[in-house]
Amino acid sequence: TRVLSFGELDDRANRVAAALEQRGVRLGERVAAYLTNRLEFIDLFLATTRLGAILVPINVLYREREIAHIVADAEPLAVVTTRDAMSLLPAGTVAWDVEELTRIASEGAVERIRRPMDGDAPAALVYTSGTTGRSKGAVLTHNNFLANGANLLACWRIVPEDRYLAALPLFHVHGLGNGVVSWLMSGCRMRLVERFDASRIAAVFHAFHPTLFFGVPTMYVRLLDVPVEDAKAIGAHMRLFVCGSAPLPAAVFETFHERFGHVILERYGMSETLMNLGNPYAGERRPGSVGFPLPGVSVRIVDPAGHAVDDGEIGQLLVRGPNVCAGYWRRPDADADAFVDGWFRTGDLAERSVDGYYTLRGRMSDLIISGGFNIYPREIEELLMEFPGVREAAVVGLPDAARGEVPVAFLVTDTNASFDPAALEAACRSQLASFKVPRGFVQVDALPRTALGKVQKRALLGEWTSRLVD
């Protein structure tokens, strides 16, 4: 385990920034990172932000098909990755070996990099898919990260004495925009692990004695497998467990409280907005609720006509504030759909209780959230329909105790076409991230549709359930 001071981290960032500048990175230039959790990811984030360049994090579970779109859209000067991972990049992609870049940077002189820039300048370009399946890059500014970090430090009382265990992937805004930025702004101690390994996580907790942990529901489900005595020992050192990225089952919420002695703080954010709402640090953390708007964040719940609904009624959640992204990268059409009179349409349905707690009630789109990762069915459906013999495809989210939801595919095939689920799965695994691969492939005679031709995906869930019963 390497231990670095903030001064040493600052020196590394300056050296990497100088090395990037020598390679042509300038103000506004994009640099992509296709890396697992490692020190060099943080070096790159700090280096690009001080140069005024834009970091483009890429999910390490993505494969060539997904990476190709991001590279074509963001047009980064290069993708920084490991030598082993270069083979996964699309042909023609400019790739920089992270080890070589770090070595060259370490040989340079330390010179503090100071580049004047506006707080509204982009700092990161985070890709998140829309219901059409076409990825869009959310433009997150320096001020977005700053406002979000200041809110979390104030609301969750993060101080230099805290010890933050970072197990979330840094390519996601949960790990980067919440975790890393809160650590940097507070000056607390951080332990970075490459990934959340359920078989080893208890030992990591015991060795580091963290006080602060951010996770997704799947992580908390896995933590319930920790022996009771270990859970008590972990809880004795902890100050705050935070959960987000997907709804936390009430049963997990209650069982975790019993075993670890802590009430998980649930909150709600998005790639495009960072954090919007959260349960109170001091006060009732209500199961199933995402609490109240964070300071400076305004929230509305509206009906389809855009009129505010009464407490207890469900409508679409709109937000605005210094946390909301500057828009989508080179997508004025997407901006026009997402923003209305300065408000950002989240696409989530919610209701507010009479005492002000907000609760999410589903999504307006068909988005599937599995283990904290977003899965957009259209992307998988389009791939499946490229398979010989497949005429129609519909992917739905099936409830899953561990991951929240998992995708299942329903397919209409040509009469004379053979149906081979193993081949379909292999095709998906070769071109999609593992979490997007359907957990089941079901052949149906026809997809249920409304009178207007819209596929009724709830009916497909019923079809799956009936087959399990049979």
Side-chain angles (χ1 to χ4, degrees), residues 117-458:
M117 68 190 76
D118 192 293
D120 288 329
L125 193 55
V126 178
Y127 276 80
T128 176
S129 299
T131 54
T132 62
R134 182 184 176 193
S135 282
K136 303 186 294 291
V139 181
L140 295 175
T141 68
H142 291 262
N143 281 344
N144 289 151
F145 284 113
L146 177 62
N148 188 69
N151 261 349
L152 301 193
L153 262 61
C155 294
W156 298 346
R157 304 185 186 180
I158 304 173
V159 295
E161 290 74 28
D162 271 314
R163 300 169 67 86
Y164 169 56
L165 176 57
L168 289 163
L170 299 184
F171 58 73
H172 195 283
V173 291
H174 194 168
L176 186 66
N178 287 1
V180 167
V181 172
S182 293
W183 158 62
L184 291 169
M185 291 180 67
S186 68
C188 71
R189 190 180 184 91
M190 180 179 77
R191 167 76 183 274
L192 179 67
V193 295
E194 183 177 7
R195 62 187 178 89
F196 181 91
D197 183 343
S199 66
R200 298 184 59 252
I201 196 64
V204 176
F205 269 96
H206 289 319
F208 182 56
H209 288 164
T211 61
L212 187 63
F213 181 79
F214 298 164
V216 298
T218 304
M219 292 181 177
Y220 288 104
V221 170
R222 301 303 183 203
L223 282 171
L224 293 182
D225 293 333
V226 170
V228 174
E229 291 306 313
D230 282 341
K232 289 181 179 179
I234 290 170
H237 295 285
M238 283 292 299
R239 180 179 68 80
L240 180 64
F241 288 97
V242 180
C243 184
S245 296
L248 181 70
V252 176
F253 183 95
E254 299 296 345
T255 305
F256 192 90
H257 183 203
E258 293 172 5
R259 296 187 184 178
F260 287 82
H262 287 265
V263 179
I264 297 170
L265 190 154
E266 289 187 79
R267 86 305 175 280
Y268 163 66
M270 302 177 68
S271 296
E272 295 97 329
T273 66
L274 299 172
M275 289 304 97
N276 298 310
L277 301 98
N279 274 271
Y281 181 82
E284 179 191 0
R285 298 176 192 170
R286 189 169 297 177
S289 169
V290 290
F292 308 101
L294 296 179
V297 180
S298 299
V299 174
R300 294 181 67 202
I301 300 179
V302 300
D303 62 21
H307 302 131
V309 303
D310 294 332
D311 287 345
E313 292 186 7
I314 296 175
Q316 183 181 181
L317 188 68
L318 309 183
V319 301
R320 72 178 179 190
N323 57 311
V324 179
C325 72
Y328 292 107
W329 181 254
R330 296 173 176 172
R331 289 291 303 275
D333 59 322
D335 289 345
D337 288 339
F339 293 89
V340 53
D341 298 328
W343 293 86
F344 179 77
R345 293 170 167 160
T346 66
D348 286 308
L349 298 172
E351 67 175 295
R352 188 178 71 175
S353 67
V354 292
D355 58 349
Y357 279 80
Y358 286 78
T359 300
L360 300 181
R361 294 301 186 195
R363 295 174 295 279
M364 297 186 67
S365 69
D366 295 322
L367 172 69
I368 300 168
I369 300 180
S370 183
F373 292 115
N374 288 354
I375 301 174
Y376 295 87
R378 180 68 178 273
E379 180 184 19
I380 306 172
E381 291 161 1
E382 289 177 348
L383 173 60
L384 289 171
M385 285 190 286
E386 293 177 8
F387 201 84
V390 175
R391 287 193 289 116
E392 293 181 282
V395 174
V396 300
L398 184 72
D400 181 82
R403 302 190 65 81
E405 295 176 295
V406 292
V408 174
F410 293 83
L411 306 169
V412 178
T413 62
D414 292 332
T415 305
N416 59 351
S418 62
F419 184 70
D420 187 349
L424 289 165
E425 180 178 352
C428 289
R429 288 197 180 280
S430 69
Q431 301 192 60
L432 296 173
S434 59
F435 62 85
K436 295 181 183 178
V437 177
R439 298 304 190 267
F441 297 85
V442 183
Q443 187 178 31
V444 294
D445 295 331
L447 297 178
R449 297 179 182 273
T450 66
L452 296 176
K454 183 179 177 63
V455 176
Q456 295 176 302
K457 292 193 172 182
R458 288 186 181 275

